[in-house]
Amino acid sequence: MTQMTDLAGKTGLILGIANADSIAYGCAKAFRAAGADLAVTYLNAKAEPHVRPLAEALDSPLILPCDVTDDAQLQAVFDGIRARWGRLDFVLHSIAFAPKDDLHGRLVDTSRPGFLKAMDISCHSFIRCARLAEPLMDRGGALMTVTFYGSARVVDGYSVMGPVKAALEASVRYLADDLAPRRIRVHAISPGPIRTRAASGIRAFDRLIEDSVADTPDHRLVTIDEVGDLAAFLASPAARGMTGTTEYVDAGLHLTD
């Protein structure tokens, strides 16, 4: 961790840890190594045994349930942060979902309920987090979400998530404009394919991994720790002049056709 990435005295919220292979966990480790105190959420009782030990290893004082489709649970997370710290410096949102039938089918065949559910969980939940975080960021702050280059290019098997991630990236730009007067910066982080539990739901994911290794300039995949290093930088004062961007950390995969 370089001296530029200093989060000592900062507080952050991490949404989306599922296990030790999660992108959100790679980010959380980097935030903690840079000195931040973290609140960590888990989806439900089934997920808690996988997430709680990781959060405890991060010395997280707040480990809270959060299904982002439940407004009361999401509100309770931010209420808990207000009660514990009275403020918030950054949020990492690493949540995405689409029903399997819609994700594995053609976009043209996507159901209305499936499309709306994917958009609600993967995109609008970030907007809801921004709205709840804003009053806690009275000294400025950073909001970060996770996207994928399938937002801009057709990736076999990505289907409905392509338009959803495109909407998420557009939301980042508009939120950056909305929140600039509060000195709240907003970013999307775009990793290359990583073997996470969520990504395993993508049809032909193994082929996507193989193609990505072949197409990147140095023929490798990025790690969750490399994604975490970028997230920690974006959360830090060193990135205070940046907002509204989609930042690639994909070993150059986005450079290829």
Side-chain angles (χ1 to χ4, degrees), residues 176-224:
D177 182 66
D178 284 346
L179 299 174
R182 301 292 299 272
R183 293 181 296 113
I184 298 172
R185 298 171 282 112
V186 190
H187 296 284
I189 297 170
S190 186
I194 295 176
R195 291 190 183 276
T196 65
R197 191 176 74 178
S200 66
I202 298 173
R203 179 172 53 85
F205 183 69
D206 287 340
R207 188 170 73 245
L208 175 60
I209 289 285
E210 292 172 3
D211 290 346
S212 298
V213 171
D215 290 344
T216 54
D218 59 353
H219 306 298
R220 71 177 184 90
L221 302 176
V222 296
T223 67
I224 61 172

Side-chain angles (χ1 to χ4, degrees), residues 146-178:
V146 177
T147 186
F148 182 61
Y149 85 123
S151 63
R153 300 185 181 186
V154 174
V155 173
D156 185 35
Y158 208 53
S159 190
V160 64
M161 288 306 299
V164 168
K165 290 296 191 180
L168 179 64
E169 292 176 19
S171 298
V172 163
R173 294 188 289 272
Y174 279 86
L175 288 170
D177 182 66
D178 284 346

Side-chain angles (χ1 to χ4, degrees), residues 14 23 47-49 142 154 176 192 210 216 225 237 242 248:
I14 313 300
I23 290 171
E48 183 178 4
V154 174
E210 292 172 3
T216 54
D225 294 326
M242 302 168 60
Y248 291 97

